[in-house]
Amino acid sequence: MRTRTEHALLALGHFAHRRAWAVIACVVALIVVAGLQLPKLQFKISTDDFLRPDDPVRLAYDDFRERFGRDDMIVVAIDPPEVFERGFLEKLARLHEELEEGVPYLVEVRSLVNARETRGEADRLIVGELLEDWPEDDEALASLRDRALANPLYTDFILSRDAGMTVVTVELEAFASDQDTLAALEGFDDLDSAEEDEPTRALSMAQEGAAVNAVEEVLARYA
């Protein structure tokens, strides 16, 4: 077997030497043909792509996402000298608002700006948002800091224990409508007709990439 392989490689070498220009032309032609397909090249790294659309596991997972949303999020960590400083909180509020306005396929942005707060005062139960009443003076700011650090739902989740770091989470839609999907795939000729008939589908990598790029563009203005 080894001898036959060596003879075959030797014959191939002699052939390439005798017809060098023809071999070079064939190689160049193959490279050109392959290069023309590069615009259609796609990388699929999602585990969903390894399951058939009618696979019971995928159907159950899609049903879960329809009920409860995506199981992954974009998380932005911010580490100012002090979170509960009026200038930083104002900047955080602007960042929160710009993310809500600029990120496509968005479900919700969560941060200290809209963090839910439930607390008791005397005989009242107060349910609202942490920054629903904006702190107007240092005393109100200190009270806000104490309430946030005392809340176990905040510390080590959206706020560090020393109030030196906070996070903003961006949740994207689990599925895109047909219109969104076709817009994201605009320019591709070979669309699967069966897929076009589906009312919704999971966000494609291109759509997720557009959302990530939008987040990065907003963050760049605050770097």
Side-chain angles (χ1 to χ4, degrees):
M1 180 65 181
R2 178 179 177 182
T3 302
R4 288 198 301 271
T5 302
E6 290 176 347
H7 282 304
L9 291 175
L10 181 62
L12 179 62
H14 285 304
F15 176 82
H17 177 72
R18 290 193 303 269
R19 296 174 175 80
W21 288 109
V23 172
I24 292 174
C26 290
V27 171
V28 170
L30 288 173
I31 292 175
V32 170
V33 171
L36 293 175
Q37 303 304 311
L38 285 178
K40 300 179 181 180
L41 184 65
Q42 297 183 33
F43 291 94
K44 294 187 176 182
I45 60 175
S46 171
T47 54
D48 297 359
D49 297 323
F50 294 96
L51 299 174
R52 299 188 312 275
D54 60 347
D55 189 287
V57 175
R58 181 166 183 172
L59 293 175
Y61 181 50
D62 287 346
D63 179 65
F64 172 86
R65 291 194 295 184
E66 285 181 357
R67 293 171 182 267
F68 302 104
R70 296 171 63 96
D71 54 0
D72 55 353
M73 298 183 183
I74 301 172
V75 180
V76 180
I78 309 171
D79 57 344
E82 167 61 45
V83 170
F84 293 98
E85 189 272 326
R86 187 170 288 101
F88 172 74
L89 290 179
E90 292 173 351
K91 183 179 291 187
L92 179 64
R94 293 195 301 271
L95 171 63
H96 185 111
E97 182 178 354
E98 288 191 30
L99 288 172
E100 287 182 329
E101 294 176 351
V103 178
Y105 314 111
L106 180 69
V107 172
E108 185 180 13
V109 177
R110 301 189 188 99
S111 71
L112 287 173
V113 173
N114 63 345
R116 300 293 296 172
E117 182 185 36
T118 303
R119 69 181 190 273
E121 289 187 2
D123 58 348
R124 296 187 303 158
L125 179 64
I126 300 176
V127 179
E129 296 180 352
L130 179 65
L131 289 175
E132 187 172 355
D133 297 322
W134 198 261
E136 298 295 340
D137 52 37
D138 292 341
E139 182 179 353
L141 196 60
S143 174
L144 176 70
R145 186 182 195 277
D146 292 341
R147 294 204 321 268
L149 292 177
N151 192 327
L153 299 178
Y154 297 168
T155 52
D156 294 334
F157 289 97
I158 61 174
L159 180 67
S160 63
R161 293 177 180 270
D162 61 354
M165 177 177 288
T166 186
V167 298
V168 178
T169 59
V170 179
E171 181 183 357
L172 302 179
E173 296 175 353
F175 299 91
S177 66
D178 254 352
Q179 184 176 359
D180 291 335
T181 300
L182 294 177
L185 296 176
E186 186 177 359
F188 291 88
D189 297 329
D190 300 329
L191 293 177
D192 188 343
S193 59
E195 291 180 346
E196 288 181 4
D197 294 336
E198 295 176 3
T200 59
R201 72 178 58 221
L203 289 185
S204 67
M205 291 188 63
Q207 291 167 326
E208 291 180 354
V212 171
N213 289 339
V215 171
E216 291 179 343
E217 288 176 6
V218 173
L219 294 177
R221 297 196 287 270
Y222 291 84

